[in-house]
Amino acid sequence: MQTNLPDTILETDEGLEADHVLRKCVHCGFCLATCPTYQVLGDELDSPRGRIYLIKNMLEGEPVTESTQLHLDRCLTCQACETTCPSGVEYHKLLEIGRSQVVEKLPRPWQDRLVRRLMLAVLAHRKRFNFLLAIGQFFRPVMPHALKQKVPSKQTIDRYGEKNVINPTG
């Protein structure tokens, strides 16, 4: 991919890394077949190739928008796209750079930052998650229908095994 990154970007380690990764991408589209968000949403901007374009444009000086932030946020960082890339694009490195630029140029409201911190504090820790899940299951019978549907019943977890429901890969 041809890039026109400004010298101010290229003078940084992040900028050089971004330029290196961007130049490896040949727009082949093999990444589309393995990207879960693209498979579900069907939007090119929710694919690695689309996000690469968004990051490239942002680094070249285009304004960062909430749309850019949304599409970068939707990436699961699973790196499935990297396994099918014939050019060896290290997409995860570019995504980290893009996300750091978005944080710098488009700060989130304090409420969003708080929710993200809380989610990270819970979802990244199995014991915390299981504890909160047990509380949710205890109160599930008295929850409004819409919320009740989001909390799996104890019977569902018992049927499939806690390990499979909470962490399907392990």
Side-chain angles (χ1 to χ4, degrees), residues 100-119:
S100 70
Q101 291 289 310
V102 168
V103 166
E104 186 179 305
K105 295 178 180 180
L106 188 66
R108 297 176 190 275
W110 69 268
Q111 301 93 329
D112 289 356
R113 291 193 310 266
L114 178 63
V115 167
R116 292 171 73 84
R117 282 192 186 126
L118 288 172
M119 284 178 39

Side-chain angles (χ1 to χ4, degrees), residues 7-135:
D7 290 337
T8 55
I9 298 286
L10 291 173
E11 291 170 355
T12 66
D13 290 339
E14 260 190 357
L16 288 172
E17 182 74 35
D19 190 56
H20 174 72
V21 174
L22 286 167
R23 289 178 182 274
K24 278 185 144 185
C25 182
V26 295
H27 324 290
C28 66
F30 285 145
C31 57
L32 302 177
T34 57
C35 178
T37 52
Y38 177 72
Q39 293 300 310
V40 170
L41 301 173
D43 184 346
E44 177 80 18
L45 294 177
D46 286 316
S47 73
R49 186 168 64 180
R51 292 185 190 106
I52 287 171
Y53 276 111
L54 289 171
I55 294 167
K56 175 185 177 290
N57 292 340
M58 176 176 51
L59 293 173
E60 289 179 345
E62 286 193 21
V64 179
T65 65
E66 289 177 2
S67 175
T68 303
Q69 185 179 54
L70 175 67
H71 293 296
L72 295 186
D73 282 351
R74 284 181 177 166
C75 178
L76 303 175
T77 322
C78 66
Q79 298 178 323
C81 56
E82 292 183 18
T83 64
T84 58
C85 180
S87 301
V89 174
E90 295 175 294
Y91 169 74
H92 72 281
K93 290 182 179 180
L94 187 63
L95 183 65
E96 286 177 25
I97 293 167
R99 285 179 170 166
S100 70
Q101 291 289 310
V102 168
V103 166
E104 186 179 305
K105 295 178 180 180
L106 188 66
R108 297 176 190 275
W110 69 268
Q111 301 93 329
D112 289 356
R113 291 193 310 266
L114 178 63
V115 167
R116 292 171 73 84
R117 282 192 186 126
L118 288 172
M119 284 178 39
L120 184 59
V122 172
L123 295 178
H125 302 278
R126 186 182 196 114
K127 287 182 181 178
R128 293 177 194 169
F129 180 83
N130 286 342
F131 176 72
L132 292 174
L133 177 61
I135 291 171

